[in-house]
């Protein structure tokens, strides 16, 4: 399962531009899904390379930040197929994705994955604390503590 999809890419790159970036025929007619899948696979591998020693891979729950990183890397990869100037927002998205992956790898950022904290631990109410102590078994009485007030 890929971390991103064609639909995620279409949110960043207009459909006609995706056709131009992926189709090698003249005139370009349709999106070449093989090239899209290759770019998405490349993004997955790059993400996994950064996360390999930190998380169990492949991620079964995909946080939105990983979806965005995969989309930005795949978009950059698609644009790199063509010898024209890279749009600034694609370049900035890629650079931000790499910085974020580096921060996750260095544990400056941590992914919030359900596998890291199972639902029963997250949603269960706090347990009641039971003790065998009473007010009479206190070491410091109220009278003794009054002397320490400011």
């Amino acid at each position: 399962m890929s971390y991103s999809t064609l639909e995620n890419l279409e949110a960043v790159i207009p459909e006609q531009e995706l056709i131009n970036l992926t189709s090698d025929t003249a005139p370009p007619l349709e999106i070449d899904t093989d090239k899209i899948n290759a770019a998405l696979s490349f993004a997955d591998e790059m993400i996994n390379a950064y996360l390999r020693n930190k998380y169990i891979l492949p991620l079964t729950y995909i946080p939105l930040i990983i979806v965005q990183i995969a989309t930005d890397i795949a978009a950059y990869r698609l644009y790199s197929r063509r010898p024209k100037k890279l749009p600034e927002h694609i370049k900035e998205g890629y650079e931000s994705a790499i910085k974020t992956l580096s921060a996750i790898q260095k544990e400056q950022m941590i992914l919030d994955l359900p596998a890291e904290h199972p639902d029963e631990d997250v949603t269960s109410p706090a347990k009641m604390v039971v003790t065998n102590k009473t007010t009479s078994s206190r070491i410091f009485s109220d009278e003794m503590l009054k002397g320490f007030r400011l």
Side-chain angles (χ1 to χ4, degrees):
M1 181 169 97
S2 185
Y3 296 139
S4 187
T5 64
L6 172 59
E7 290 76 27
N8 297 126
L9 282 170
E10 287 175 329
V12 177
I13 304 171
E15 183 178 4
Q16 187 58 50
E17 186 69 9
L18 279 173
I19 293 170
N20 294 336
L21 291 171
T22 61
S23 180
D24 291 335
T25 62
L29 301 174
E30 62 184 18
I31 294 173
D32 185 337
T33 55
D34 289 339
K35 291 188 178 63
I36 295 287
N37 290 335
L40 292 172
S41 292
F42 177 83
D44 292 350
E45 285 300 315
M46 183 174 279
I47 291 168
N48 287 343
Y50 274 92
L51 303 182
R52 188 155 279 120
N53 293 331
K54 304 293 177 195
Y55 298 96
I56 298 170
L57 298 175
L59 298 175
T60 53
Y61 170 79
I62 304 169
L64 290 176
I65 193 167
I66 296 297
V67 173
Q68 187 61 52
I69 289 170
T71 303
D72 290 340
I73 293 170
Y76 183 87
R77 185 78 171 177
L78 289 172
Y79 271 99
S80 69
R81 295 188 70 244
R82 301 291 184 224
K84 62 182 185 177
K85 185 173 178 177
L86 198 67
E88 197 61 33
H89 75 284
I90 299 294
K91 183 179 176 185
E92 289 172 359
Y94 176 78
E95 290 170 353
S96 175
I98 297 304
K99 285 180 186 173
T100 302
L101 284 173
S102 185
I104 293 169
Q105 185 182 48
K106 294 175 185 171
E107 296 182 354
Q108 294 168 337
M109 293 176 73
I110 297 174
L111 297 178
D112 188 23
L113 301 176
E116 300 292 322
H117 45 79
D119 289 344
E120 63 269 12
D121 292 340
V122 174
T123 59
S124 63
K127 305 246 188 286
M128 183 185 292
V129 177
V130 179
T131 181
N132 62 354
K133 301 298 178 193
T134 64
T135 55
S136 61
S137 63
R138 290 176 40 182
I139 296 174
F140 301 105
S141 67
D142 286 339
E143 287 299 315
M144 183 184 287
L145 291 174
K146 284 182 186 175
F148 292 101
R149 291 192 182 148
L150 296 175

Coordinates of all heavy atoms in Angstrom, one line a residue, residues 28-111:
P28 N 0.5 14.5 -25.8 CA 0.2 13.7 -24.6 C -1.3 13.5 -24.5 O -2.1 14.5 -24.7 CB 0.7 14.5 -23.5 CG 1.2 15.8 -24.0 CD 1.1 15.7 -25.5
L29 N -1.7 12.3 -24.2 CA -3.2 12.0 -24.3 C -3.8 11.7 -22.9 O -4.9 12.1 -22.6 CB -3.5 10.8 -25.2 CG -3.0 11.0 -26.7 CD1 -3.2 9.7 -27.4 CD2 -3.8 12.2 -27.3
E30 N -3.1 10.9 -22.1 CA -3.6 10.6 -20.8 C -2.5 10.4 -19.8 O -1.3 10.2 -20.1 CB -4.4 9.3 -20.9 CG -3.7 8.1 -21.4 CD -4.6 6.9 -21.6 OE1 -5.8 7.0 -21.7 OE2 -4.0 5.8 -21.6
I31 N -2.9 10.3 -18.5 CA -1.9 10.1 -17.4 C -1.4 8.7 -17.6 O -2.1 7.7 -17.7 CB -2.6 10.3 -16.1 CG1 -3.0 11.8 -15.9 CG2 -1.6 9.8 -14.9 CD1 -3.8 12.0 -14.6
D32 N -0.1 8.5 -17.5 CA 0.6 7.2 -17.5 C 0.7 6.7 -16.1 O 1.5 7.2 -15.3 CB 2.0 7.3 -18.2 CG 2.6 5.9 -18.3 OD1 2.3 5.0 -17.6 OD2 3.5 5.8 -19.2
T33 N -0.2 5.8 -15.7 CA -0.3 5.4 -14.3 C 1.0 4.6 -13.9 O 1.3 4.6 -12.7 CB -1.5 4.5 -14.1 OG1 -1.6 3.5 -15.0 CG2 -2.8 5.4 -14.2
D34 N 1.7 4.0 -14.8 CA 2.9 3.3 -14.5 C 3.9 4.3 -14.0 O 4.7 4.0 -13.0 CB 3.5 2.6 -15.7 CG 2.6 1.3 -16.1 OD1 1.9 0.9 -15.2 OD2 2.7 0.9 -17.2
K35 N 4.0 5.5 -14.6 CA 5.0 6.5 -14.2 C 4.5 7.1 -12.9 O 5.4 7.4 -12.0 CB 5.2 7.5 -15.3 CG 5.9 6.9 -16.5 CD 6.3 7.9 -17.5 CE 7.1 7.3 -18.6 NZ 6.3 6.3 -19.4
I36 N 3.2 7.3 -12.7 CA 2.7 7.7 -11.4 C 3.1 6.7 -10.3 O 3.6 7.1 -9.2 CB 1.2 7.9 -11.4 CG1 0.8 9.1 -12.4 CG2 0.6 8.2 -10.0 CD1 1.1 10.4 -11.9
N37 N 2.8 5.5 -10.5 CA 3.1 4.4 -9.5 C 4.6 4.4 -9.2 O 5.0 4.1 -8.1 CB 2.6 3.1 -10.0 CG 1.1 3.0 -10.0 OD1 0.4 3.8 -9.2 ND2 0.5 2.2 -10.8
A38 N 5.5 4.6 -10.3 CA 6.9 4.5 -10.1 C 7.3 5.7 -9.2 O 8.2 5.5 -8.3 CB 7.6 4.6 -11.4
A39 N 6.8 6.9 -9.4 CA 7.1 8.0 -8.5 C 6.6 7.8 -7.1 O 7.3 8.2 -6.1 CB 6.5 9.3 -9.1
L40 N 5.4 7.2 -7.0 CA 4.9 7.0 -5.6 C 5.7 5.9 -4.9 O 6.0 6.0 -3.7 CB 3.4 6.5 -5.7 CG 2.4 7.6 -6.2 CD1 1.0 7.0 -6.4 CD2 2.3 8.7 -5.2
S41 N 6.1 4.9 -5.6 CA 7.0 3.8 -5.0 C 8.3 4.4 -4.6 O 8.9 4.1 -3.5 CB 7.2 2.7 -6.1 OG 6.1 2.0 -6.3
F42 N 8.9 5.3 -5.4 CA 10.1 6.0 -5.0 C 9.9 6.8 -3.7 O 10.8 6.7 -2.8 CB 10.6 6.9 -6.2 CG 11.8 7.7 -5.8 CD1 13.1 7.1 -6.0 CD2 11.7 9.0 -5.3 CE1 14.2 7.9 -5.6 CE2 12.9 9.7 -5.0 CZ 14.1 9.1 -5.1
A43 N 8.8 7.5 -3.6 CA 8.5 8.3 -2.4 C 8.4 7.3 -1.2 O 9.0 7.6 -0.2 CB 7.3 9.1 -2.6
D44 N 7.7 6.2 -1.4 CA 7.6 5.2 -0.3 C 8.9 4.7 0.2 O 9.2 4.6 1.4 CB 6.7 4.1 -0.7 CG 5.3 4.4 -1.0 OD1 4.9 5.6 -0.6 OD2 4.5 3.6 -1.5
E45 N 9.8 4.4 -0.8 CA 11.1 3.9 -0.5 C 12.0 4.9 0.3 O 12.7 4.6 1.2 CB 11.9 3.4 -1.7 CG 11.3 2.1 -2.2 CD 11.5 1.0 -1.2 OE1 12.5 0.8 -0.5 OE2 10.5 0.2 -1.0
M46 N 11.9 6.2 -0.2 CA 12.6 7.2 0.5 C 12.1 7.4 1.9 O 12.9 7.5 2.9 CB 12.5 8.5 -0.3 CG 13.4 9.6 0.3 SD 13.4 11.1 -0.6 CE 14.7 10.7 -1.8
I47 N 10.8 7.4 2.1 CA 10.3 7.6 3.5 C 10.7 6.4 4.3 O 11.1 6.6 5.5 CB 8.7 7.7 3.4 CG1 8.3 9.0 2.8 CG2 8.1 7.5 4.8 CD1 6.9 9.1 2.4
N48 N 10.6 5.2 3.8 CA 11.0 4.0 4.6 C 12.5 4.0 4.9 O 12.9 3.6 6.0 CB 10.6 2.7 3.8 CG 9.2 2.5 3.8 OD1 8.4 3.0 4.6 ND2 8.7 1.6 2.8
A49 N 13.3 4.6 4.0 CA 14.7 4.6 4.3 C 15.0 5.6 5.5 O 15.8 5.3 6.4 CB 15.5 5.2 3.1
Y50 N 14.2 6.6 5.6 CA 14.4 7.5 6.8 C 13.8 6.9 8.1 O 14.3 7.2 9.1 CB 13.7 8.9 6.5 CG 14.6 9.9 5.8 CD1 14.5 9.9 4.4 CD2 15.4 10.7 6.4 CE1 15.3 10.9 3.7 CE2 16.2 11.7 5.8 CZ 16.1 11.7 4.4 OH 16.9 12.6 3.7
L51 N 12.7 6.2 7.9 CA 12.0 5.7 9.1 C 12.4 4.3 9.6 O 12.0 3.8 10.6 CB 10.5 5.7 8.9 CG 9.9 7.0 8.5 CD1 8.4 6.8 8.3 CD2 10.2 8.1 9.5
R52 N 13.3 3.6 8.8 CA 13.6 2.2 9.0 C 14.0 1.9 10.4 O 13.6 0.8 10.9 CB 14.7 1.8 8.0 CG 14.9 0.3 8.0 CD 15.5 -0.2 6.7 NE 14.4 -0.3 5.7 CZ 14.3 0.3 4.6 NH1 15.2 1.1 4.2 NH2 13.3 0.1 3.7
N53 N 14.8 2.6 11.0 CA 15.3 2.3 12.4 C 14.5 2.8 13.5 O 14.8 2.6 14.7 CB 16.8 2.8 12.5 CG 17.7 2.1 11.6 OD1 17.5 0.9 11.3 ND2 18.8 2.7 11.2
K54 N 13.4 3.5 13.1 CA 12.5 4.1 14.2 C 11.2 3.5 14.3 O 10.6 3.5 15.4 CB 12.3 5.6 13.8 CG 13.6 6.4 13.7 CD 14.4 6.5 15.0 CE 15.7 7.2 14.8 NZ 16.6 7.0 15.9
Y55 N 10.6 3.0 13.2 CA 9.3 2.4 13.2 C 9.2 1.1 12.5 O 10.1 0.8 11.7 CB 8.3 3.4 12.5 CG 8.3 4.8 13.2 CD1 9.0 5.8 12.7 CD2 7.4 5.0 14.3 CE1 9.0 7.1 13.4 CE2 7.4 6.2 14.9 CZ 8.2 7.2 14.4 OH 8.1 8.5 15.1
I56 N 8.1 0.3 12.8 CA 7.9 -0.9 12.1 C 7.3 -0.6 10.7 O 6.3 0.1 10.6 CB 6.9 -1.8 12.9 CG1 7.5 -2.1 14.3 CG2 6.6 -3.1 12.1 CD1 6.6 -2.8 15.2
L57 N 8.0 -1.1 9.7 CA 7.5 -0.8 8.3 C 7.0 -2.0 7.6 O 7.4 -3.1 7.9 CB 8.7 -0.2 7.6 CG 9.3 1.1 8.1 CD1 10.6 1.4 7.4 CD2 8.3 2.2 8.1
P58 N 6.1 -1.8 6.7 CA 5.5 -0.6 6.3 C 4.5 -0.1 7.3 O 4.0 -0.9 8.1 CB 4.8 -0.9 5.0 CG 4.5 -2.3 5.1 CD 5.6 -3.0 5.9
L59 N 4.3 1.2 7.4 CA 3.4 1.8 8.3 C 2.0 1.2 8.0 O 1.5 1.3 6.9 CB 3.4 3.3 8.3 CG 4.7 4.0 8.6 CD1 4.6 5.5 8.4 CD2 5.1 3.7 10.1
T60 N 1.3 0.7 9.0 CA -0.1 0.3 8.8 C -1.1 1.4 8.9 O -2.1 1.5 8.2 CB -0.5 -0.8 9.7 OG1 -0.3 -0.4 11.1 CG2 0.3 -2.1 9.5
Y61 N -0.8 2.4 9.8 CA -1.6 3.6 9.9 C -0.7 4.7 9.3 O 0.5 4.8 9.7 CB -1.9 3.9 11.4 CG -2.5 5.3 11.6 CD1 -3.8 5.5 11.3 CD2 -1.7 6.3 12.0 CE1 -4.4 6.8 11.5 CE2 -2.2 7.6 12.2 CZ -3.6 7.8 11.9 OH -4.1 9.0 12.1
I62 N -1.2 5.4 8.3 CA -0.5 6.4 7.7 C -0.9 7.8 8.1 O -2.0 8.3 7.7 CB -0.6 6.3 6.1 CG1 -0.2 4.9 5.7 CG2 0.3 7.3 5.4 CD1 -0.5 4.5 4.3
P63 N -0.1 8.5 8.9 CA -0.5 9.8 9.4 C -0.5 10.8 8.2 O 0.2 10.6 7.2 CB 0.7 10.2 10.3 CG 1.4 9.0 10.7 CD 1.1 8.0 9.5
L64 N -1.3 11.9 8.3 CA -1.4 12.8 7.2 C -0.1 13.5 6.8 O 0.1 13.8 5.7 CB -2.4 13.9 7.6 CG -3.9 13.5 7.7 CD1 -4.8 14.6 8.2 CD2 -4.4 13.0 6.3
I65 N 0.8 13.6 7.8 CA 2.1 14.2 7.5 C 2.9 13.3 6.5 O 3.6 13.8 5.6 CB 2.9 14.5 8.8 CG1 4.1 15.4 8.4 CG2 3.3 13.3 9.5 CD1 4.7 16.1 9.6
I66 N 2.8 12.0 6.7 CA 3.4 11.1 5.8 C 2.8 11.1 4.4 O 3.5 11.0 3.4 CB 3.4 9.6 6.4 CG1 4.3 9.6 7.7 CG2 4.0 8.6 5.4 CD1 5.7 9.9 7.5
V67 N 1.5 11.2 4.3 CA 0.8 11.3 3.0 C 1.3 12.6 2.3 O 1.6 12.5 1.1 CB -0.7 11.4 3.2 CG1 -1.4 11.7 1.9 CG2 -1.3 10.1 3.8
Q68 N 1.4 13.7 3.0 CA 1.9 14.9 2.4 C 3.4 14.8 2.0 O 3.7 15.3 0.9 CB 1.7 16.1 3.4 CG 2.1 17.5 2.7 CD 1.1 17.8 1.5 OE1 -0.1 17.7 1.7 NE2 1.7 18.1 0.4
I69 N 4.2 14.2 2.8 CA 5.6 14.0 2.4 C 5.7 13.1 1.2 O 6.4 13.5 0.2 CB 6.4 13.4 3.6 CG1 6.5 14.4 4.7 CG2 7.7 12.8 3.1 CD1 7.1 13.8 6.0
A70 N 5.0 12.0 1.1 CA 5.0 11.2 -0.1 C 4.5 11.9 -1.3 O 5.1 11.7 -2.4 CB 4.1 9.9 0.2
T71 N 3.5 12.7 -1.2 CA 2.9 13.4 -2.3 C 4.0 14.4 -2.8 O 4.2 14.5 -4.0 CB 1.6 14.2 -1.9 OG1 0.7 13.2 -1.4 CG2 1.0 14.9 -3.1
D72 N 4.6 15.2 -1.9 CA 5.6 16.1 -2.3 C 6.8 15.5 -3.0 O 7.3 16.0 -4.0 CB 6.1 17.0 -1.1 CG 5.0 17.9 -0.6 OD1 4.1 18.2 -1.4 OD2 5.1 18.3 0.6
I73 N 7.3 14.4 -2.5 CA 8.4 13.7 -3.1 C 8.0 13.1 -4.5 O 8.8 13.3 -5.4 CB 8.9 12.5 -2.2 CG1 9.5 13.1 -0.9 CG2 9.9 11.7 -2.9 CD1 9.9 12.1 0.2
A74 N 6.8 12.5 -4.6 CA 6.4 12.0 -5.9 C 6.2 13.1 -6.9 O 6.6 13.0 -8.1 CB 5.1 11.2 -5.7
A75 N 5.7 14.3 -6.5 CA 5.5 15.4 -7.4 C 6.9 15.9 -7.9 O 7.0 16.1 -9.1 CB 4.8 16.5 -6.7
Y76 N 7.8 16.0 -7.0 CA 9.2 16.4 -7.4 C 9.8 15.4 -8.4 O 10.4 15.8 -9.4 CB 10.0 16.5 -6.1 CG 11.4 17.0 -6.4 CD1 11.7 18.3 -6.4 CD2 12.5 16.1 -6.6 CE1 13.0 18.8 -6.6 CE2 13.8 16.5 -6.8 CZ 14.0 17.9 -6.8 OH 15.3 18.3 -7.0
R77 N 9.6 14.1 -8.1 CA 10.1 13.1 -9.0 C 9.5 13.1 -10.4 O 10.2 13.0 -11.4 CB 9.8 11.7 -8.3 CG 10.4 10.5 -9.0 CD 11.8 10.4 -8.7 NE 12.3 9.2 -9.3 CZ 13.6 8.8 -9.2 NH1 14.5 9.5 -8.6 NH2 13.9 7.7 -9.8
L78 N 8.2 13.4 -10.4 CA 7.5 13.5 -11.7 C 8.1 14.7 -12.5 O 8.3 14.7 -13.7 CB 6.0 13.7 -11.6 CG 5.3 12.4 -11.1 CD1 3.8 12.7 -10.8 CD2 5.4 11.3 -12.2
Y79 N 8.2 15.9 -11.8 CA 8.8 17.1 -12.5 C 10.2 16.9 -12.9 O 10.6 17.4 -13.9 CB 8.6 18.3 -11.6 CG 7.3 19.0 -11.8 CD1 6.3 18.8 -10.9 CD2 7.1 19.9 -12.9 CE1 5.1 19.5 -11.0 CE2 5.9 20.6 -13.0 CZ 4.9 20.4 -12.1 OH 3.7 21.0 -12.3
S80 N 10.9 16.0 -12.2 CA 12.4 15.8 -12.6 C 12.5 15.0 -13.9 O 13.6 15.0 -14.4 CB 13.1 15.2 -11.4 OG 12.7 13.8 -11.3
R81 N 11.4 14.5 -14.4 CA 11.4 13.7 -15.7 C 11.6 14.7 -16.8 O 11.9 14.3 -17.9 CB 10.2 12.9 -15.8 CG 10.0 11.8 -14.9 CD 8.8 10.9 -15.3 NE 9.1 10.2 -16.5 CZ 8.5 10.3 -17.7 NH1 7.5 11.2 -17.8 NH2 8.9 9.6 -18.7
R82 N 11.2 15.9 -16.7 CA 11.2 16.9 -17.7 C 12.3 18.0 -17.6 O 12.5 18.4 -16.4 CB 9.8 17.6 -17.8 CG 8.7 16.6 -18.1 CD 8.8 16.1 -19.5 NE 7.6 15.2 -19.7 CZ 7.7 14.0 -20.3 NH1 8.9 13.6 -20.7 NH2 6.6 13.3 -20.5
P83 N 12.9 18.4 -18.7 CA 14.1 19.3 -18.5 C 13.6 20.8 -18.4 O 14.4 21.7 -18.8 CB 14.8 19.1 -19.9 CG 13.8 18.6 -20.8 CD 12.8 17.9 -20.0
K84 N 12.5 21.1 -17.9 CA 12.1 22.5 -17.8 C 12.2 22.9 -16.3 O 12.4 22.1 -15.4 CB 10.6 22.7 -18.3 CG 9.6 21.9 -17.5 CD 8.2 22.2 -18.2 CE 7.1 21.5 -17.4 NZ 5.8 21.8 -17.9
K85 N 12.1 24.2 -16.1 CA 12.2 24.7 -14.8 C 11.2 24.2 -13.8 O 10.0 24.1 -14.1 CB 12.2 26.3 -14.8 CG 12.5 26.9 -13.5 CD 12.5 28.4 -13.6 CE 12.8 28.8 -12.1 NZ 13.0 30.1 -11.9
L86 N 11.7 23.8 -12.7 CA 10.8 23.2 -11.6 C 10.0 24.3 -11.0 O 10.6 25.4 -10.6 CB 11.7 22.6 -10.6 CG 11.2 21.6 -9.6 CD1 10.7 20.3 -10.4 CD2 12.2 21.2 -8.6
P87 N 8.7 24.2 -10.8 CA 7.9 25.2 -10.1 C 8.3 25.3 -8.7 O 8.7 24.4 -8.0 CB 6.5 24.6 -10.2 CG 6.4 23.6 -11.3 CD 7.8 23.1 -11.4
E88 N 8.3 26.6 -8.2 CA 8.9 26.9 -6.9 C 8.1 26.1 -5.8 O 8.7 25.6 -4.8 CB 8.8 28.4 -6.6 CG 9.7 28.8 -5.5 CD 11.1 28.6 -5.7 OE1 11.6 28.6 -6.9 OE2 11.8 28.3 -4.7
H89 N 6.8 26.0 -5.9 CA 6.1 25.3 -4.8 C 6.4 23.8 -4.8 O 6.4 23.2 -3.7 CB 4.5 25.5 -5.0 CG 3.9 24.8 -6.1 ND1 4.0 25.1 -7.4 CD2 3.1 23.7 -6.0 CE1 3.3 24.3 -8.1 NE2 2.7 23.4 -7.3
I90 N 6.7 23.2 -5.9 CA 7.1 21.8 -5.9 C 8.5 21.6 -5.3 O 8.7 20.7 -4.5 CB 7.1 21.2 -7.4 CG1 5.7 21.3 -8.0 CG2 7.7 19.8 -7.4 CD1 4.7 20.4 -7.3
K91 N 9.4 22.5 -5.6 CA 10.8 22.5 -5.0 C 10.7 22.7 -3.5 O 11.3 22.0 -2.7 CB 11.6 23.6 -5.7 CG 13.0 23.6 -5.2 CD 13.8 24.7 -5.9 CE 15.2 24.8 -5.3 NZ 16.0 25.9 -5.9
E92 N 9.9 23.7 -3.1 CA 9.8 24.0 -1.6 C 9.1 22.8 -0.9 O 9.5 22.5 0.2 CB 9.0 25.3 -1.4 CG 9.7 26.5 -1.8 CD 8.8 27.8 -1.8 OE1 7.6 27.7 -1.5 OE2 9.4 28.8 -2.1
G93 N 8.1 22.2 -1.5 CA 7.5 21.0 -0.9 C 8.4 19.9 -0.7 O 8.4 19.2 0.3
Y94 N 9.3 19.6 -1.7 CA 10.3 18.6 -1.6 C 11.3 18.8 -0.5 O 11.6 18.0 0.3 CB 11.0 18.4 -3.0 CG 12.1 17.4 -3.0 CD1 11.8 16.0 -3.0 CD2 13.4 17.7 -2.9 CE1 12.8 15.0 -3.0 CE2 14.4 16.8 -2.8 CZ 14.1 15.4 -2.9 OH 15.1 14.5 -2.9
E95 N 11.8 20.1 -0.5 CA 12.8 20.4 0.5 C 12.2 20.3 1.9 O 12.8 19.8 2.8 CB 13.3 21.8 0.3 CG 14.2 21.9 -1.0 CD 14.5 23.3 -1.4 OE1 14.0 24.3 -0.8 OE2 15.3 23.5 -2.3
S96 N 10.9 20.7 2.1 CA 10.3 20.6 3.4 C 10.1 19.2 3.7 O 10.2 18.8 4.9 CB 8.9 21.3 3.3 OG 8.2 21.2 4.5
A97 N 9.7 18.3 2.8 CA 9.5 16.9 3.0 C 10.8 16.3 3.5 O 10.8 15.5 4.5 CB 9.0 16.2 1.8
I98 N 11.9 16.6 2.9 CA 13.2 16.0 3.3 C 13.6 16.5 4.7 O 14.1 15.7 5.5 CB 14.3 16.3 2.3 CG1 14.0 15.7 0.9 CG2 15.7 15.9 2.8 CD1 13.7 14.2 1.0
K99 N 13.4 17.8 5.0 CA 13.7 18.3 6.3 C 12.8 17.6 7.4 O 13.3 17.3 8.5 CB 13.4 19.8 6.4 CG 14.5 20.6 5.7 CD 14.2 22.1 5.8 CE 15.2 22.9 4.9 NZ 14.9 24.3 4.9
T100 N 11.5 17.4 7.1 CA 10.6 16.8 8.0 C 11.1 15.3 8.3 O 11.1 14.9 9.4 CB 9.2 16.8 7.5 OG1 8.8 18.2 7.3 CG2 8.2 16.2 8.5
L101 N 11.4 14.6 7.2 CA 11.9 13.2 7.4 C 13.2 13.2 8.2 O 13.3 12.3 9.1 CB 12.1 12.6 6.0 CG 10.9 12.1 5.2 CD1 11.3 11.7 3.8 CD2 10.2 11.0 6.0
S102 N 14.0 14.1 8.0 CA 15.3 14.2 8.8 C 15.0 14.4 10.2 O 15.6 13.8 11.1 CB 16.2 15.3 8.2 OG 17.4 15.3 8.8
A103 N 14.0 15.3 10.5 CA 13.6 15.6 11.9 C 13.0 14.4 12.5 O 13.3 14.1 13.7 CB 12.7 16.8 11.9
I104 N 12.2 13.6 11.8 CA 11.6 12.4 12.4 C 12.7 11.4 12.6 O 12.7 10.8 13.7 CB 10.6 11.8 11.4 CG1 9.4 12.8 11.3 CG2 10.1 10.5 11.8 CD1 8.4 12.4 10.2
Q105 N 13.7 11.3 11.7 CA 14.8 10.3 11.9 C 15.6 10.7 13.2 O 16.0 9.8 13.9 CB 15.6 10.3 10.7 CG 16.7 9.3 10.7 CD 17.6 9.3 9.5 OE1 18.1 10.4 9.1 NE2 17.8 8.2 8.9
K106 N 15.8 12.0 13.4 CA 16.6 12.4 14.5 C 15.8 12.5 15.8 O 16.3 13.0 16.8 CB 17.2 13.8 14.2 CG 18.2 13.8 13.1 CD 18.7 15.2 12.8 CE 19.6 15.2 11.6 NZ 19.9 16.5 11.1
E107 N 14.5 12.1 15.7 CA 13.6 12.2 16.8 C 13.3 13.6 17.4 O 13.0 13.8 18.5 CB 14.0 11.2 18.0 CG 14.0 9.8 17.5 CD 14.4 8.8 18.7 OE1 14.8 9.3 19.8 OE2 14.3 7.6 18.4
Q108 N 13.5 14.6 16.5 CA 13.0 15.9 16.8 C 11.5 16.0 16.6 O 10.9 16.9 17.2 CB 13.8 16.9 15.9 CG 15.2 17.0 16.2 CD 16.0 17.8 15.1 OE1 15.5 17.9 14.0 NE2 17.2 18.3 15.5
M109 N 11.0 15.1 15.8 CA 9.5 15.0 15.6 C 9.2 13.5 15.7 O 10.1 12.7 15.4 CB 9.1 15.4 14.2 CG 9.3 16.9 13.9 SD 8.8 17.3 12.2 CE 7.1 17.1 12.2
I110 N 8.1 13.2 16.3 CA 7.7 11.8 16.5 C 6.3 11.6 15.9 O 5.4 12.3 16.2 CB 7.7 11.4 18.0 CG1 9.1 11.5 18.5 CG2 7.2 10.0 18.2 CD1 9.3 11.3 20.0
L111 N 6.2 10.5 15.1 CA 4.9 10.2 14.5 C 4.0 9.6 15.6 O 4.4 8.8 16.4 CB 5.1 9.2 13.4 CG 5.9 9.6 12.2 CD1 6.0 8.5 11.2 CD2 5.3 10.9 11.5

